[in-house]
Amino acid sequence: YEVAGITLNFWSRMVMELERIEPLQWRQEVVDLYANRLLQFVCICAQNLMKFPPDISDAADDQVDEINRHRYHVGEAVEDICRLLGGHVVLQQIAELLQQQVQTNSLSSLATGDWQGLESCLSCLVAIHMFVSDDENLVLPFCFEQLIPAMATNTAGPPTPLRFTTCKVIGKYARWLSRQARSKPQLMQPLLPFLAQGLSIPECAPASAVAIKELCINLHP
């Protein structure tokens, strides 16, 4: 994680230096030159740096704390890229990785399969939520109409870290969900029981409670 931290610091400084370039037109030209590299970095974050190790369930508490601190900084780095490229560009890149995870791993075997890749992509969605438009209509419908309902109806249920992150996704995109629910009230049907189940799992209860609160605030302003 120390080596990864050095890498994240480099990208953070790079973003700040690019943001200092004036005038704006010249800045955009320079950003365009680095766009492919920046998107490659997003891929590295979602596929590697954000990913939980396979033995996370056996890790000691101090190790888990260190991993979560590292993941927080990875999320900040992905958010920084949104400031340069725009949320829609970064969202599309994450969506491609998310689709790959769904195609590679059966949602029916999440409890025993490679769930870490899916979870890391969803964590990146959490990180960029402030840069995603409330009327986004390509990626989020897939998440909330297909992916999360499939997890919610899976009898085995997702592993606890994946459930926790999924609850955070629901909470962070509560405004988007509230807008969509006006024309698609069925959208909420699998999400609310999923969140209610999370309340009974100590590790997931805080994220579930916050998501329910956000939905209530946005559905009934």
Side-chain angles (χ1 to χ4, degrees):
Y1 294 117
E2 291 180 4
V3 175
I6 295 172
T7 303
L8 293 173
N9 185 54
F10 164 79
W11 285 101
S12 177
R13 293 187 64 178
M14 179 179 176
V15 169
M16 286 191 294
E17 290 300 323
L18 288 173
E19 286 184 318
R20 290 194 180 107
I21 296 175
E22 296 291 347
L24 182 59
Q25 182 179 354
W26 170 235
R27 180 198 307 172
Q28 189 57 54
E29 290 179 8
V30 176
V31 169
D32 289 343
L33 290 175
Y34 287 102
N36 288 338
R37 295 297 184 188
L38 293 168
L39 288 176
Q40 285 177 0
F41 176 63
V42 171
C43 290
I44 291 171
C45 287
Q47 294 179 311
N48 297 286
L49 299 181
M50 186 69 85
K51 199 172 180 181
F52 276 123
D55 59 348
I56 183 64
S57 60
D58 299 323
D61 289 345
D62 59 337
Q63 291 177 306
V64 174
D65 289 342
E66 182 182 359
I67 290 169
N68 284 331
R69 280 194 298 271
H70 166 75
R71 280 163 48 90
Y72 174 80
H73 293 305
V74 174
E76 284 189 323
V78 175
E79 186 179 359
D80 286 343
I81 304 302
C82 289
R83 289 174 13 215
L84 291 176
L85 300 182
H88 64 289
V89 175
V90 176
L91 178 64
Q92 187 58 48
Q93 184 64 65
I94 295 172
E96 292 177 10
L97 300 174
L98 196 58
Q99 290 278 5
Q100 291 173 15
Q101 287 296 323
V102 172
Q103 292 170 4
T104 303
N105 303 288
S106 170
L107 292 177
S108 62
S109 60
L110 282 176
T112 57
D114 179 21
W115 55 267
Q116 289 91 343
L118 178 59
E119 190 280 337
S120 63
C121 290
L122 291 176
S123 288
C124 287
L125 280 185
V126 171
I128 69 170
H129 74 279
M130 291 182 63
F131 293 89
V132 179
S133 171
D134 288 341
D135 59 3
E136 200 282 327
N137 61 1
L138 295 175
V139 179
L140 297 183
F142 165 73
C143 291
F144 290 109
E145 295 178 19
Q146 299 181 49
L147 177 59
I148 295 178
M151 280 195 281
T153 55
N154 185 349
T155 54
T160 299
L162 179 56
R163 179 185 288 274
F164 173 85
T165 300
T166 303
C167 290
K168 289 191 71 174
V169 171
I170 296 172
K172 293 298 185 183
Y173 290 94
R175 267 181 45 175
W176 183 91
L177 284 165
S178 68
R179 291 189 59 166
Q180 297 297 312
R182 295 168 192 168
S183 58
K184 301 177 183 177
Q186 71 277 10
L187 196 64
M188 305 302 298
Q189 291 176 1
L191 302 183
L192 295 176
F194 182 83
L195 293 174
Q197 291 169 6
L199 293 174
S200 64
I201 302 172
E203 298 87 345
C204 298
S208 295
V210 170
I212 292 171
K213 176 184 175 181
E214 290 298 324
L215 286 174
C216 289
I217 291 172
N218 285 280
L219 286 169
H220 302 286

